Amino acid sequence: MNPYENFVRDFTRLLKHGQALPLGGVPPLQQPRRAADAPRALIFSPHPDDEVIGGGGTLLDVVAAGGAVTIVQVTDGSDSAAFIREPEAVRTQVRLDEARRVADGLGARELVCLRADNRALRATPELAGQFRELLERVRPGVVLAPSFTDIHPDHQIVLALLARALRQVAGTLPDVALYEVWSLVAPTHVRDVGAHIGRIEELLLAYETALKVDDYVHLVAERLLFNAFEHCARPGYVEVFEVLPGERFLECARAHFQEPDGAA
């Protein structure tokens, strides 16, 4: 049994016993209400490759349907273990170069690199302001972001930044689709991405630096296969999301980060 299979077994056991999060019953699964039909989708990727790991197939669907995808790479990816002996100029640039090739291959309309230091990511007012400016400029129908269950600290910081930014956005808030990277979600929406699995693998292979450390290609394929059996009771490749209306996302963020009412 490989490490991901161990993780899936243990995390699923926790979910079923109610020890991971105070989850209610999972509603019936359906196709994403807005994810693949929205004319504008905005995805926040903490590190180069998270956008493909968490929602690559759904983003390909958005593009195929004539929609516009904006990918936001929050960090420079410089904290990878593959960079132990590399000079600073390589550490801070090579993964963003890979992200550019992936964005072009995916058909994204725009790639935004915020270049936050991956070795010292903080939820600063400056970064929150950049998130807000992107939300106001793109005006997405759906925002994709890591989940509240994600165990990676950088992913939690991105969630906190998104919540802070959304509180500053005027008008109707977009839905927020929480995707899987290092932890599973309690899904409200499912998308069959079997038609894209070969393309997803090609995009992941373009992230050569990350693949020096972990075999993300097989990890992602195994998780998508697990999702198909777990949530659809059949073989296949399925991405799942917890989709929350913007206002509900902010309520969950306030509770998750233990923020006082009225927190900015």
Side-chain angles (χ1 to χ4, degrees):
M1 183 174 290
N2 66 35
Y4 187 77
E5 290 172 330
N6 282 326
F7 163 75
V8 166
R9 180 199 63 198
D10 293 342
F11 195 86
T12 303
R13 176 178 55 78
L14 288 174
L15 283 177
K16 288 180 177 177
H17 288 82
Q19 298 171 21
L21 281 176
L23 299 173
V26 177
L29 296 174
Q30 55 185 306
Q31 290 294 329
R33 180 160 57 94
R34 299 173 72 173
D37 302 319
R40 294 179 298 278
L42 174 64
I43 183 165
F44 286 98
S45 175
H47 314 101
D49 73 9
D50 287 328
E51 78 283 11
V52 181
I53 293 172
T58 297
L59 296 178
L60 287 166
D61 275 342
V62 173
V63 173
V69 169
T70 296
I71 300 171
V72 181
Q73 296 293 350
V74 179
T75 74
D76 55 20
S78 59
D79 198 35
S80 172
F83 290 137
I84 292 174
R85 297 181 178 85
E86 297 293 346
E88 186 70 9
V90 172
R91 293 180 70 107
T92 58
Q93 186 58 45
V94 66
R95 294 190 72 188
L96 296 181
D97 290 341
E98 292 171 349
R100 167 54 64 190
R101 292 193 287 272
V102 168
D104 290 344
L106 192 146
R109 178 167 296 181
E110 182 180 19
L111 171 67
V112 178
C113 298
L114 300 183
R115 293 184 173 273
D117 188 349
N118 188 191
R119 291 159 289 181
L121 183 60
R122 300 289 183 272
T124 64
E126 291 76 17
L127 267 178
Q130 289 177 300
F131 274 45
R132 177 182 56 78
E133 290 169 5
L134 282 161
L135 290 163
E136 291 179 341
R137 176 172 63 79
V138 177
R139 288 291 173 183
V142 64
V143 175
L144 290 83
S147 71
F148 289 116
T149 59
D150 200 308
I151 61 176
H152 197 299
D154 287 355
H155 295 202
Q156 292 295 307
I157 289 172
V158 167
L159 272 177
L161 286 163
L162 176 58
R164 185 181 300 183
L166 280 172
R167 292 190 190 106
Q168 304 296 322
V169 172
T172 303
L173 297 181
D175 287 349
V176 179
L178 303 176
Y179 58 75
E180 297 181 328
V181 178
W182 291 112
S183 301
L184 304 179
V185 303
T188 62
H189 296 68
V190 60
R191 176 157 292 279
D192 186 336
V193 297
H196 297 306
I197 188 61
R199 193 74 189 107
I200 292 169
E201 292 179 345
E202 289 174 5
L203 294 171
L204 287 170
L205 285 168
Y207 279 119
E208 298 176 4
T209 302
L211 291 176
K212 294 177 183 179
V213 181
D214 288 300
D215 183 358
Y216 291 106
V217 177
H218 285 93
L219 288 175
V220 170
E222 288 171 4
R223 190 189 69 220
L224 299 181
L225 180 62
F226 164 81
N227 284 340
F229 280 107
E230 180 75 0
H231 303 298
C232 302
R234 60 171 173 76
Y237 298 95
V238 170
E239 289 176 351
V240 301
F241 304 89
E242 182 181 10
V243 181
L244 301 172
E247 294 81 1
R248 176 59 181 158
F249 169 78
L250 292 180
E251 292 174 3
C252 292
R254 184 168 289 112
H256 179 73
F257 294 112
Q258 299 183 330
E259 300 169 339
D261 290 342

